[in-house]
């Protein structure tokens, strides 16, 4: 009801079809703001965007005219029905079936049998986009609420985001005409889903970002007034440097990468699946850590419903599960960038390091040169992993994915710092830091990323006496100098104005 009643579906529709024509950057900003108020509402909107986008990328012109028109005119609520009890993240394992009902020598209709689980908006949707295995392969079908044989399960009793309706959907001998086959061609369902996920993960990233900052803002306000030992918690480095500053840094690194990726989408780039995974991973992991730290920052009060942080903590947890669990994303990131490493014969991250060093020459306080150290260390680690065939151990994909995401987030934050220093700042940017505060955050992020690569690389290459040299330990350790000063600087700027620090 919320998505239809507020017109959130219109964001994803082009202006020519009665919508607002919001691009990836616009949607990220809207989702972040809504998630900062209530993540359940943002989650309902995300589910609507998924289905509307799927129609946009996969439907025939006639189907777009019909269904986009009805969504705009009737305020239809949509549901994206992919997950199953035995096929959550692995859509290739789906068991739902769509069987031909033939008329002469062609399929005039389909009979669908399916059981879908964890469907956002499932209990309130007017239109369901259902993934089922047709004779030629996985395909999407448009099924309206009220279709004979379609039923809804009870609303799930969830840990969080309880205001977002989530149900199971069952289709038993549901008959749909051939014109309800999305795109009119069977077998393209998984490719169509992958295209939609790339954009949807940016909205999911924004949900983690909005909730993370909402919780951190509450901790900032609380610590100004909470007196312990005769002074506010805000004056205690043991509090600010552990529970506030590191999380502001991680959130803004996620934002920097998210904004870069959204701008690339809006610029017409395609094949950004790995970038979407990195953005979602960075922002949702940072959001979860920030909410957990904020609850801790409020002590016993954080555990009380009165202060709201415990609700945010419950709600934001799901962002590391829906639209690809963090582990699925780590695996996807690791494999995706591994291909880039092989395709460039190991130069992928070395080229990025050279670019960051050039950026650092333009603004030497940006942390870009420290990120360059991290990128070179990462390239060396990948090279050794290839030589030793370490990726035969499946868990290494996840560890590589996590490292890669962390380093690429630091690189984005450094590039943002340089651009802002040169006066280039997107008008719609949601960046919470600017000036000296942004530069300090970038340096802190760069140091942490570089140290993480050196440490993790040493962990998995420990039998090599020369590993420290290969991974650049000495330079990375020297780069840690100044960290305490930057923690102090950023803490001071955050407490000057929690809404626009360093401006």
């Amino acid at each position: 009801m919320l998505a239809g009643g507020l017109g959130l579906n219109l964001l994803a529709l082009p202006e020519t079809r009665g919508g607002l024509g919001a691009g990836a950057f616009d949607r990220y900003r809207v989702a972040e703001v809504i998630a900062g108020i209530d993540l359940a509402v943002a989650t309902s909107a995300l589910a609507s965007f998924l289905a509307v986008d799927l129609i946009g990328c996969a439907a025939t012109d006639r189907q777009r005219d019909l269904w986009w028109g009805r969504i705009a005119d009737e305020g239809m609520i949509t549901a994206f029905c992919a997950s199953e009890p035995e096929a959550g993240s692995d859509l290739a394992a789906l068991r739902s079936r769509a069987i031909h009902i033939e008329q002469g020598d062609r399929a005039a209709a389909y009979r669908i049998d399916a059981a879908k689980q964890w469907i956002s908006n499932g209990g309130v949707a007017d239109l369901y986009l259902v993934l089922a295995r047709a004779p030629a392969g996985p395909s999407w079908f448009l099924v309206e609420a009220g279709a004979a044989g379609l039923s809804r399960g009870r609303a799930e009793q969830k840990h969080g985001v309880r205001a977002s309706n989530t149900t199971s959907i069952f289709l038993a001998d549901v008959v749909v005409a051939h014109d309800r086959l999305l795109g009119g061609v069977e077998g393209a369902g998984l490719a169509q889903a992958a295209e939609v996920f790339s954009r949807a993960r940016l909205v999911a990233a924004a949900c983690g970002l909005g909730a993370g900052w909402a919780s951190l803002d509450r901790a900032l306000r609380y610590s100004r007034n909470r007196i312990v030992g005769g002074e506010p918690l805000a004056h205690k480095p043991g509090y600010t440097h552990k529970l506030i500053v590191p999380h502001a840094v991680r959130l803004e690194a996620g934002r920097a990468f998210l904004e870069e990726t959204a701008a690339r989408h809006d610029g017409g780039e395609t094949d950004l699946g790995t970038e979407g995974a990195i953005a979602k991973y960075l922002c949702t992991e940072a959001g979860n850590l920030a909410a957990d730290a904020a609850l801790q920052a409020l002590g016993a009060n954080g555990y009380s419903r009165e202060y709201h942080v415990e609700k945010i903590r419950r709600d934001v947890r799901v962002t590391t599960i829906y639209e690809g669990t963090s582990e699925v994303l780590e695996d996807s990131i690791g494999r995706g960038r591994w291909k880039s490493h092989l395709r460039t014969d190991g130069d992928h991250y070395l080229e990025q390091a050279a670019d960051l060093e050039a950026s650092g020459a333009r603004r030497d306080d940006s942390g870009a040169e420290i990120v360059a150290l991290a990128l070179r260390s990462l390239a060396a680690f990948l090279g050794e992993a290839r030589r030793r065939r370490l990726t035969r151990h499946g868990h290494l994909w996840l560890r590589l994915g996590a490292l890669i995401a962390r380093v690429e987030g630091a690189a984005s934050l450094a590039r943002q710092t340089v651009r802002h220093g040169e006066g280039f700042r997107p008008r719609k940017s949601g960046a919470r830091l600017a000036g000296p505060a942004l530069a300090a955050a970038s340096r802190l992020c760069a140091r942490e990323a570089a140290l993480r690569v050196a440490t993790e690389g040493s962990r998995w290459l420990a039998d090599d006496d020369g590993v420290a040299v290969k991974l650049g330990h000495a330079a990375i350790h020297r780069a840690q100098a100044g960290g305490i000063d930057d923690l102090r600087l950023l803490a001071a700027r955050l407490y000057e104005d929690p809404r626009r620090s360093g401006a």
Side-chain angles (χ1 to χ4, degrees):
M1 183 173 182
L2 282 167
L6 293 177
L8 291 178
N9 281 344
L10 298 180
L11 280 170
L13 291 174
E15 293 182 69
T16 55
R17 306 301 177 95
L20 299 177
F25 209 106
D26 295 320
R27 294 191 210 181
Y28 130 63
R29 291 293 289 129
V30 170
E32 182 193 0
V33 171
I34 297 174
I37 300 168
D38 192 283
L39 186 54
V41 178
T43 297
S44 296
L46 167 60
S48 295
F49 293 164
L50 272 168
V52 171
D53 277 349
L54 183 59
I55 293 172
C57 76
T60 64
D61 289 341
R62 179 174 295 181
Q63 287 172 334
R64 285 193 198 95
D65 287 340
L66 172 62
W67 295 107
W68 272 356
R70 290 190 61 185
I71 288 168
D73 296 340
E74 302 173 26
M76 295 181 81
I77 298 172
T78 55
F80 184 88
C81 303
S83 296
E84 298 180 2
E86 303 299 325
S89 298
D90 182 14
L91 293 184
L94 84 160
R95 297 183 178 183
S96 299
R97 293 290 183 269
I99 306 301
H100 287 170
I101 299 176
E102 297 184 354
Q103 183 176 7
D105 60 351
R106 69 182 186 87
Y110 293 86
R111 179 176 287 108
I112 304 174
D113 289 284
K116 299 295 182 178
Q117 192 174 33
W118 301 110
I119 306 304
S120 295
N121 297 342
V124 296
D126 303 300
L127 177 66
Y128 298 88
L129 278 81
V130 179
L131 182 65
R133 191 176 297 279
S139 309
W140 289 95
F141 297 88
L142 297 137
V143 183
E144 287 190 77
L150 185 148
S151 61
R152 301 157 167 169
R154 66 175 178 82
E156 297 286 350
Q157 301 301 303
K158 297 173 294 187
H159 177 64
V161 291
R162 294 172 184 172
S164 174
N165 177 267
T166 307
T167 65
S168 296
I169 301 296
F170 305 99
L171 293 85
D173 291 332
V174 172
V175 176
V176 297
H178 187 274
D179 64 6
R180 300 298 181 91
L181 168 65
L182 197 64
V185 178
E186 294 179 11
L190 297 186
Q192 292 162 347
E195 184 175 346
V196 170
F197 283 148
S198 176
R199 289 192 293 271
R201 281 174 174 162
L202 301 187
V203 178
C207 289
L209 190 61
W213 264 114
S215 62
L216 212 58
D217 281 336
R218 289 176 179 272
L220 283 162
R221 290 195 297 269
Y222 179 85
S223 58
R224 281 188 175 88
N225 302 314
R226 180 68 170 181
I227 306 301
V228 176
E231 63 179 348
L233 284 171
H235 294 174
K236 296 180 178 294
Y239 178 95
T240 60
H241 294 11
K242 177 185 178 184
L243 299 175
I244 303 295
V245 173
H247 302 287
V249 170
R250 293 186 186 113
L251 286 166
E252 289 307 288
R255 183 196 302 282
F257 193 93
L258 171 56
E259 291 195 350
E260 282 190 342
T261 306
R264 291 172 67 184
H265 266 291
D266 290 342
E269 286 193 51
T270 57
D271 194 23
L272 294 173
T274 301
E275 285 77 4
I278 292 173
K280 199 258 182 183
Y281 179 79
L282 287 173
C283 291
T284 59
E285 286 290 318
N288 265 272
L289 290 171
D292 192 67
L295 191 153
Q296 188 75 13
L298 269 66
N301 287 330
Y303 210 64
S304 167
R305 291 187 178 181
E306 177 183 355
Y307 287 81
H308 198 67
V309 175
E310 64 84 27
K311 178 187 183 299
I312 298 174
R313 180 65 186 90
R314 282 187 287 107
D315 286 352
V316 74
R317 186 65 182 85
V318 76
T319 64
T320 64
I321 297 173
Y322 63 34
E323 302 311 319
T325 67
S326 288
E327 290 69 34
V328 166
L329 297 181
E330 287 171 344
D331 185 79
S332 175
I333 294 164
R335 293 176 187 275
R337 290 302 193 239
W338 182 257
K339 291 177 183 177
S340 299
H341 173 77
L342 297 181
R343 189 165 53 244
T344 61
D345 196 25
D347 286 341
H348 179 73
Y349 285 119
L350 295 179
E351 291 172 357
Q352 289 191 30
D355 290 341
L356 262 295
E357 286 168 342
S359 296
R362 302 204 311 269
R363 181 170 179 178
D364 60 7
D365 67 343
S366 65
E369 291 185 353
I370 304 175
V371 181
L373 293 176
L375 288 164
R376 293 187 183 282
S377 184
L378 180 59
F381 183 22
L382 292 173
E384 283 299 300
R386 178 185 184 184
R387 185 175 69 82
R388 302 182 188 203
R389 299 178 60 223
L390 289 181
T391 54
R392 70 183 185 276
H393 306 293
H395 68 98
L396 257 296
W397 290 119
L398 278 66
R399 301 180 191 279
L400 285 174
L403 275 182
I404 288 166
R406 182 67 62 85
V407 174
E408 293 204 23
S412 289
L413 191 57
R415 285 192 292 268
Q416 183 186 77
T417 303
V418 173
R419 288 194 300 269
H420 284 200
E422 295 173 341
F424 298 104
R425 181 171 182 160
R427 179 173 57 86
K428 298 176 182 178
S429 174
R432 294 287 299 266
L433 305 174
L438 177 59
S442 183
R443 294 190 296 271
L444 287 166
C445 188
R447 291 187 189 98
E448 184 179 27
L451 191 60
R452 183 67 64 89
V453 176
T455 302
E456 281 289 289
S458 296
R459 180 183 183 189
W460 302 110
L461 304 175
D463 60 333
D464 186 339
D465 291 338
V467 66
V469 174
K470 292 176 181 177
L471 297 180
H473 276 216
I476 288 173
H477 289 162
R478 286 194 299 271
Q480 303 306 309
I484 293 176
D485 289 339
D486 282 338
L487 285 167
R488 185 183 300 117
L489 185 158
L490 186 51
R493 292 305 179 104
L494 284 168
Y495 280 96
E496 284 177 6
D497 182 351
R499 298 301 304 171
R500 179 66 81 193
S501 298

